[in-house]
Amino acid sequence: MRVFGVDCGTEFTGYGVVEVDPRGGKLVHRVAGTIRLKKKETTSQRLAQIYAELSALITLYEPEVVAIEEVFFSANAKSALKLGQVRGVAMLAAANCGRPVVEYAPLSIKSAVVGYGLAGKEQVQFMVARLLGLEDKFDSADAADALAIAICHIHTAQTTARTEAPGRAIRKGLGGVPPPPPLNR
């Protein structure tokens, strides 16, 4: 499984690609970086830049899915609206590249990566580096967050697969508890 994570932002949008090594299940870092937007450009120019760069990266790395962070509560309505525009452009880029989009709440991402939903940015960055076997610093905190979002989806998908598989096997009579015998009437 290869996942493209996006940490949307109005000045910096982080991205990262993580995949699972099919031979051992180890998480493998493919790329991470930051789309840096110029403050002097108009909103439409910034959104066009995000769309073009994300589309090119998604096409290049061919992920199975694109994972982004859900909107969090913001006291500033204008900031939340701008962030929503960036998220919409990221979703559009993924959809136009034929990739499904999944969304995760910040607490879910931190829980999946650190084990604690209220973890700080430093803790998240430390665990992302550790899980991916990275020694050096990240391009930005946004790039590290994008990798965390991708890791969250991988962990969630693996957990879902493990918990659903026994149920399917039992219902089909392929393992676990045998199906009940037919009723004799």
Side-chain angles (χ1 to χ4, degrees), residues 39-58:
K39 287 185 177 185
K40 64 182 175 187
E41 291 185 343
T42 65
T43 300
S44 59
Q45 289 172 318
R46 289 173 160 197
L47 294 175
Q49 178 187 348
I50 293 168
Y51 176 80
E53 291 192 37
L54 287 179
S55 294
L57 289 163
I58 292 167

Side-chain angles (χ1 to χ4, degrees), residues 22-34:
R23 294 171 298 201
K26 182 180 173 187
L27 294 176
V28 180
H29 164 259
R30 290 292 169 219
V31 69
T34 308

Side-chain angles (χ1 to χ4, degrees), residues 37-169:
L37 305 169
K38 297 177 182 155
K39 287 185 177 185
K40 64 182 175 187
E41 291 185 343
T42 65
T43 300
S44 59
Q45 289 172 318
R46 289 173 160 197
L47 294 175
Q49 178 187 348
I50 293 168
Y51 176 80
E53 291 192 37
L54 287 179
S55 294
L57 289 163
I58 292 167
T59 300
L60 177 64
Y61 289 99
E62 300 180 331
E64 292 174 41
V65 64
V66 175
I68 67 172
E69 190 174 47
E70 286 180 349
V71 173
F72 57 89
F73 174 77
S74 176
N76 185 333
K78 190 173 181 180
S79 295
L81 221 96
K82 287 181 180 181
L83 181 60
Q85 291 171 330
V86 175
R87 290 180 74 255
V89 166
M91 289 182 193
L92 179 64
N96 281 345
C97 290
R99 301 298 187 261
V101 175
V102 293
E103 300 176 68
Y104 292 97
L107 287 174
S108 298
I109 296 164
K110 291 175 182 181
S111 292
V113 175
V114 179
Y116 177 58
L118 299 176
K121 280 205 175 277
E122 298 81 20
Q123 291 171 299
V124 173
Q125 290 176 17
F126 174 81
M127 283 306 297
V128 167
R130 184 148 187 194
L131 290 168
L132 297 176
L134 301 175
E135 296 287 328
D136 48 339
K137 298 285 183 191
F138 297 103
D139 179 48
S140 69
D142 303 290
D145 288 348
L147 291 169
I149 296 164
I151 292 168
C152 174
H153 178 69
I154 290 170
H155 286 174
T156 301
Q158 289 173 335
T159 300
T160 301
R162 278 194 296 270
T163 57
E164 286 182 352
R168 280 195 299 264

